[in-house]
Amino acid sequence: MKFDKPATSNPIDRKTIISQPRDRLDGPLKVTGRARYAYEQYDVVSNQAYGYVVGASIAKGRIVSIDIEVARKAAGVLAVVTAREAGKLGKAKRNTARLLAGPDIEHYHQAIALVVAETFEQARAAASLIRVEYAATGGSFDLAAARSGARAPEGDDPGLADTHVGDFSGAFARAPVKLDETYSTPDESHAMMEPHATLAAWDGDRLTLWTSNQMVAWAVADMAETLDIPKDNVRIVSSFIGGGFGGKLFLRSDVLLAALGARAAGRPVKVALSRPLMMNNTTHRPATIQRIRIGATKDGHITAMGHESWSGDLAGGGPELAVQQTRLLYAGANRMTAMRLAILDLPEANAMRAPGEAPGLMALEMAMDEMAEKLGMDPIAFRLLNDTQVDPEKPERPFSMRSLDRCMRLGADHFGWGRRSAKPGQTRDRHWLVGMGVASAFRNNLVMKSAARVRLETDGTVTVETDMTDIGTGSYTIIGQTAAEMLGLDLDKISVKLGDSRFPVSSGSGGQWGGNSATAGVYAACLKLREAIAQKLGINSAEAVFADGEVSSGNRRVPLLNAVGGAPLVGEDLMEYGDLDKTHQQSTFGAHFVEVAVDSATAETRIRRMLAVCAAGRILNPKTARSQVIGAMTMGAGAALMEELAVDTRRGFFANHDLAGYEVPVHADIPHQEVIFLDEEDPMSSPMKAKGVGELGICGVGAAIANAIYNATGIRVRDYPITLDKLIGRMPDAA
């Protein structure tokens, strides 16, 4: 099915099951421990052995020698695999660095060996016996130092190119009010709960991998390319994923090494990356340095908007797309954006929840507040004055739907924005300095082609199969709700099977495209099944109404079960997309409001309350969507106040590579959170009339917190995270 015209009325519009706050279908499995994650697949194949990964202890150089003989002879050891034993391996395009190094080392903790043993403890002990001699070479590990040598990123993606509209330089020079500031965000870790883990088993030349991966079809293709085997010989099973945030979009070393270890040992092998290894061996969100220039008239109309960003990655990698929201968020006739990429020899940089917009808005939305202050305007009034209903770079291209103004106004009223002091440092609660902050939220709406198979079983239940994954987002539930709505059944009549490469290829989970795209694929498959059912029952499918377990047309009503004979009926289809995203800009919008209190003596910051107002098309399940947004708000709080991978710029690695040193928010850090969804539907997006929401919730949060801290203290910190050491020497005198 091709979606190339705006959606009209369809069965989803009934919203008897879709858009209702149903409990997660997978919830009971998870809270009772019956949901099997990758490392817990203890009974899918017998005689499992354990692998332990050894990472490089230098950041750049070569392995001169590697002695594995003592380890090979250790108790319980079944095999030791290095690049020598593995033989020739390919490298998929989605991997910047090789997943198994040797002799060249590209980054710290790049995998160099796997020890396979009867028990985990034996494998770990034997791994410590491997002796490696390195020839280390100098590397580049400091973005600030490498900034001057950064270059324009290479590639055919038009989104990487510099943009110029009008005469930015002239307009900025002529502007009576201007801002020119530089902001920075640090390297960040995904820090998901479940580590990267894989169980691998060979059956002849066929490989099955039970793993934790967001994009099943990508994993199949990349594994086949890396091992140089046919894609049909690779099966990926990823039924449950304990968080990903982009860190499990791509094939990682646990998957490859489990397969190599199983081949070497002649039996199934399971591998999990330890937390310290995860933070240097896998991907991370790269640090950025961002310069923002805004020029405006005295009454607040933006006349010049410029955003430049510097980030780093390994050779062959790409930049953090931190300027992309600036191209679309505010009006202004004269504009420019540019990204520069420095080659750094740190672990691979790549996508992390809302790549581009999350760090980009941390800078842009702080700059917007600073500009509002220069103009003597309320921050919300300044943003709304420069709102636009068309693409600022292509004014002939309207937004399909843009409700930023509604989000701001509704949020301001609900949060009590009118009580905010316009002058910083004026509101006290005993020894606390109290302030409020706001920021716009923006994330593009992406759609991906997605397929599904839907089967009406002989007992009247329905089974949905698609390789879509559920990374904690609620995919099982909204896919089940879609099938139930389309076929007129209760949700308890729907069985949803996900995350298996034997199923039709879906959009996968990432970029907040998964929910809308995957359910649209199920919608298409359900239409096929409705046609087959109607034909069996002798009913015109165009007139058929599916409700309450029956199919009706006019005065005729027939139980759905009557369509099934001795075998199930199957509908399978693919949803793909036309050019609607080219004629209309599709984006999601929101507004974040935060109140903080800063201790006047210690400069400790405490968040008191948070509100997100979101405009993201039809909300497919308000309960699971709210869960996504409050999780994203929590992640944004971490980015604002504490999260930072500390770079050892001498040795080239992240020094705080565990959850003791890399701080993430805990329950005590997060107070009352509230989420409001606007009641809207976007017919340009898909037949579901939905958009993504899982990443919108993080976009802008960091800046809202930074702006609240400034309102509380009068101290502007432009280098995230905003830790107390950046405040305490500048705090106002205690009353």
Side-chain angles (χ1 to χ4, degrees):
M1 178 180 180
K2 190 166 188 176
F3 182 74
D4 54 7
K5 295 179 181 178
T8 56
S9 60
N10 63 52
I12 292 296
D13 294 334
R14 295 187 310 161
K15 297 193 291 187
T16 58
I17 296 177
I18 206 73
S19 295
Q20 301 305 313
R22 296 298 188 96
D23 291 342
R24 291 174 183 257
L25 297 183
D26 52 327
L29 297 177
K30 289 181 174 178
V31 299
T32 59
R34 291 178 290 151
R36 296 281 185 85
Y37 294 87
Y39 205 71
E40 299 167 342
Q41 301 285 354
Y42 59 85
D43 59 356
V44 294
V45 63
S46 61
N47 204 26
Q48 297 175 20
Y50 294 80
Y52 192 87
V53 178
V54 179
S57 59
I58 64 168
K60 189 176 183 181
R62 290 175 59 84
I63 296 174
V64 175
S65 65
I66 181 167
D67 184 353
I68 63 173
E69 290 308 310
V70 177
R72 196 195 303 272
K73 296 174 183 176
V77 171
L78 302 170
V80 179
V81 178
T82 68
R84 182 178 59 232
E85 286 75 26
K88 183 180 178 181
L89 297 172
K91 184 176 78 68
K93 293 179 181 178
R94 281 180 278 259
N95 292 128
T96 304
R98 288 168 298 127
L99 299 179
L100 178 59
D104 294 330
I105 301 297
E106 298 166 275
H107 64 83
Y108 185 83
H109 267 176
Q110 189 175 15
I112 61 170
L114 178 80
V115 178
V116 180
E118 296 285 356
T119 69
F120 170 80
E121 291 78 11
Q122 289 172 331
R124 181 178 59 182
S128 68
L129 302 176
I130 293 177
R131 295 291 175 259
V132 186
E133 181 184 350
Y134 298 98
T137 57
S140 177
F141 311 121
D142 187 338
L143 176 60
R147 176 182 175 184
S148 60
R151 297 289 181 265
E154 298 177 356
D156 298 329
D157 183 354
L160 299 177
D162 294 356
T163 63
H164 301 275
V165 177
D167 176 17
F168 168 77
S169 297
F172 184 72
R174 293 189 299 270
V177 183
K178 34 174 99 72
L179 173 137
D180 185 348
E181 294 291 354
T182 299
Y183 308 83
S184 69
T185 62
D187 297 285
E188 295 175 4
S189 172
H190 302 86
M192 70 290 285
M193 186 177 295
E194 180 203 18
H196 295 75
T198 301
L199 167 63
W202 290 88
D203 182 6
D205 60 356
R206 294 186 174 273
L207 173 64
T208 300
L209 297 153
W210 293 266
T211 189
S212 188
N213 187 280
Q214 297 174 225
M215 303 290 293
V216 168
W218 289 5
V220 169
D222 291 353
M223 195 64 182
E225 183 177 356
T226 304
L227 293 177
D228 192 23
I229 62 177
K231 288 196 293 185
D232 289 346
N233 286 14
V234 179
R235 180 188 175 197
I236 296 286
V237 182
S238 197
S239 303
F240 296 99
I241 302 170
F245 309 122
K248 296 173 181 175
L249 283 170
F250 314 110
L251 198 68
R252 302 312 316 165
S253 61
D254 60 297
V255 190
L256 175 61
L257 290 173
L260 295 175
R263 187 165 66 184
R267 55 192 277 195
V269 171
K270 60 169 59 176
V271 173
L273 300 185
S274 64
R275 187 68 61 175
L277 201 64
M278 285 171 60
M279 291 187 172
N280 281 288
N281 176 271
T282 69
T283 62
H284 69 284
R285 192 198 302 279
T288 69
I289 299 171
Q290 302 177 52
R291 181 190 183 192
I292 295 180
R293 288 175 284 173
I294 305 174
T297 61
K298 290 183 178 180
D299 62 357
H301 287 91
I302 293 174
T303 58
M305 174 69 80
H307 192 165
E308 300 162 86
S309 176
W310 291 260
S311 60
D313 199 0
L314 292 165
E320 180 71 17
L321 306 176
V323 305
Q324 58 189 5
Q325 73 289 320
T326 308
R327 298 176 61 180
L328 293 162
L329 189 47
Y330 297 113
N334 306 285
R335 332 173 55 85
M336 65 81 65
T337 66
M339 292 179 290
R340 294 296 179 261
L341 178 64
I343 302 302
L344 297 180
D345 301 302
L346 291 171
E348 180 180 338
N350 217 309
M352 180 171 159
R353 196 175 199 166
E357 285 101 333
L361 284 164
M362 291 171 78
L364 176 63
E365 286 301 287
M366 195 191 304
M368 288 294 288
D369 253 47
E370 293 192 71
M371 191 65 178
E373 184 176 45
K374 284 176 177 286
L375 291 160
M377 294 183 68
D378 176 84
I380 293 177
F382 177 51
R383 287 171 170 86
L384 294 182
L385 181 66
N386 291 283
D387 194 15
T388 174
Q389 291 297 316
V390 298
D391 179 343
E393 293 185 349
K394 302 173 183 176
E396 71 281 1
R397 183 170 176 250
F399 283 91
S400 63
M401 184 167 286
R402 179 177 169 124
S403 301
L404 177 62
D405 57 341
R406 290 177 58 200
C407 293
M408 282 286 176
R409 291 190 172 99
L410 176 60
D413 182 65
H414 193 83
F415 200 70
W417 183 256
R419 298 193 299 272
R420 170 185 175 272
S421 171
K423 185 178 180 180
Q426 299 304 299
T427 304
R428 287 181 177 264
D429 178 6
R430 295 166 297 161
H431 62 286
W432 296 99
L433 298 169
V434 181
M436 293 186 193
V438 69
S440 296
F442 173 93
R443 178 73 167 133
N444 270 330
N445 179 58
L446 307 175
V447 288
M448 300 273 280
K449 63 182 180 181
S450 193
R453 181 164 53 240
V454 184
R455 187 167 57 249
L456 177 59
E457 308 288 3
T458 56
D459 62 358
T461 62
V462 168
T463 301
V464 183
E465 295 174 337
T466 173
D467 80 355
M468 179 61 182
T469 50
D470 191 322
I471 58 175
T473 46
S475 301
Y476 278 101
T477 310
I478 59 174
I479 284 173
Q481 287 177 272
T482 302
E485 193 76 79
M486 290 294 292
L487 298 170
L489 293 170
D490 291 333
L491 189 54
D492 61 7
K493 297 292 185 182
I494 310 296
S495 173
V496 180
K497 297 182 178 180
L498 302 180
D500 192 323
S501 60
R502 296 180 303 180
F503 300 155
V505 176
S506 73
S507 61
S509 296
Q512 79 169 19
W513 63 63
N516 182 27
S517 300
T519 53
V522 174
Y523 171 96
C526 285
L527 283 183
K528 287 284 189 182
L529 181 56
R530 284 165 62 105
E531 292 171 3
I533 292 169
Q535 184 178 13
K536 278 275 191 178
L537 297 176
I539 293 175
N540 184 345
S541 62
E543 299 174 355
V545 175
F546 288 68
D548 302 321
E550 295 179 327
V551 185
S552 62
S553 177
N555 294 325
R556 186 181 174 205
R557 302 177 66 88
V558 185
L560 188 66
L561 190 58
N562 286 11
V564 183
L569 282 180
V570 178
E572 182 172 338
D573 204 358
L574 166 76
M575 179 65 72
E576 52 188 342
Y577 296 86
D579 295 331
L580 289 177
D581 61 337
K582 295 180 176 62
T583 60
H584 290 74
Q585 172 60 38
Q586 296 182 22
S587 304
T588 59
F589 295 89
H592 286 290
F593 293 82
V594 176
E595 181 179 274
V596 304
V598 182
D599 191 296
S600 59
T602 67
E604 294 171 272
T605 298
R606 294 288 180 265
I607 299 174
R608 288 192 165 185
R609 54 195 182 102
M610 305 175 79
L611 167 67
V613 184
C614 301
R618 173 179 282 156
I619 301 302
L620 300 178
N621 182 320
K623 182 176 287 189
T624 59
R626 177 185 179 275
S627 180
Q628 281 294 285
V629 174
I630 65 172
M633 293 161 71
T634 302
M635 208 166 184
L641 297 176
M642 61 193 73
E643 293 192 41
E644 177 181 12
L645 283 169
V647 181
D648 185 323
T649 56
R650 300 163 302 162
R651 299 196 61 189
F653 70 100
F654 300 129
N656 56 335
H657 49 195
D658 57 34
L659 291 179
Y662 183 84
E663 296 181 355
V664 297
V666 297
H667 287 296
D669 296 312
I670 304 301
H672 178 71
Q673 294 174 302
E674 195 170 358
V675 180
I676 298 173
F677 294 114
L678 296 191
D679 184 11
E680 67 172 29
E681 298 170 355
D682 192 338
M684 295 285 187
S685 178
S686 79
M688 304 301 294
K689 304 175 185 175
K691 295 178 181 177
V693 73
E695 298 189 342
L696 180 67
I698 192 176
C699 296
V701 174
I705 293 171
N707 293 336
I709 291 172
Y710 176 75
N711 183 244
T713 65
I715 302 170
R716 180 65 73 183
V717 179
R718 300 185 182 92
D719 300 305
Y720 292 96
I722 305 174
T723 47
L724 63 85
D725 56 295
K726 298 173 184 176
L727 295 170
I728 195 164
R730 301 158 61 188
M731 290 291 289
D733 293 335

